[in-house]
Amino acid sequence: MKRLGIILVILHVALFAHAQQGLPIDKLFQGQVIPQERMMETKVRGKMIAKYQLSYFHSLRFNATPSEKQLIMVLVDMGNPKRGDVQESSTMTTNTTETCMVRMDPQGKLNRYLCAKATKKGSKKYEMVVIYMEGTLSSLEKMKEFLK
């Protein structure tokens, strides 16, 4: 019985690790773009986010150089009509902030969302947040409401 519990825990952890696998942004979540030591990572599953119609939330917060910021925005690949897995996208830009949100094709019964926000903090530094979410939440508009 104890072995079964351990196997289930290992399987559950493996599912956490592969949630955004297959997406271009997965390189960032694996630490291949920004070293893990420079990022603050948050993963949430369960009751805390269920009220937002989400089952999984994975975010990264870090400082980036202009070239790193540009690469990350390319990986997010916002609103590219050539990508077949994007259902809707939204990009907002001000003098100091660029925000991109994408709703991708569902994976099974789960809708998938990817958000990236870059805030300029000087000429050579951006504060960035990248978020991957899954759940039954049905649109980008609803997601924007609770992210405010």
Side-chain angles (χ1 to χ4, degrees):
M1 186 67 162
K2 194 174 187 178
R3 284 185 185 169
L4 178 62
I6 292 171
I7 290 171
L8 288 175
V9 168
I10 291 171
L11 181 60
H12 191 70
V13 169
L15 290 174
F16 270 137
H18 297 327
Q20 63 279 338
Q21 189 177 38
L23 300 175
I25 199 68
D26 190 39
K27 291 178 182 178
L28 176 65
F29 284 92
Q30 291 178 357
Q32 296 174 5
V33 177
I34 305 290
Q36 294 280 353
E37 306 84 52
R38 287 180 42 204
M39 296 189 288
M40 183 173 70
E41 183 173 29
T42 304
K43 294 181 185 180
V44 182
R45 214 182 253 288
K47 291 181 183 179
M48 291 178 65
I49 58 173
K51 64 182 174 185
Y52 302 110
Q53 298 176 308
L54 294 174
S55 57
Y56 182 62
F57 175 94
H58 189 177
S59 74
L60 299 173
R61 181 182 299 268
F62 53 90
N63 290 319
T65 65
S67 60
E68 290 169 336
K69 178 248 182 200
Q70 185 61 33
L71 174 59
I72 291 163
M73 291 307 199
V74 167
L75 291 174
V76 172
D77 197 21
M78 304 312 290
N80 184 344
K82 294 178 184 174
R83 276 192 48 196
D85 61 349
V86 173
Q87 285 196 343
E88 47 180 323
S89 66
S90 172
T91 302
M92 296 168 280
T93 305
T94 67
N95 289 342
T96 58
T97 304
E98 182 178 353
T99 305
C100 304
M101 298 180 186
V102 173
R103 178 178 174 217
M104 296 167 284
D105 282 341
Q107 192 171 37
K109 293 181 180 181
L110 296 175
N111 292 317
R112 303 178 303 152
Y113 298 90
L114 184 60
C115 304
K117 181 178 180 180
T119 305
K120 196 169 187 171
K121 299 287 183 184
S123 63
K124 297 185 180 186
K125 186 169 129 179
Y126 288 87
E127 181 179 279
M128 293 196 70
V129 177
V130 178
I131 304 170
Y132 172 84
M133 295 174 279
E134 292 179 350
T136 57
L137 186 67
S138 59
S139 73
L140 275 181
E141 290 305 315
K142 286 184 180 181
M143 185 183 62
K144 286 178 191 178
E145 286 176 22
F146 75 78
L147 286 178
K148 285 183 178 181

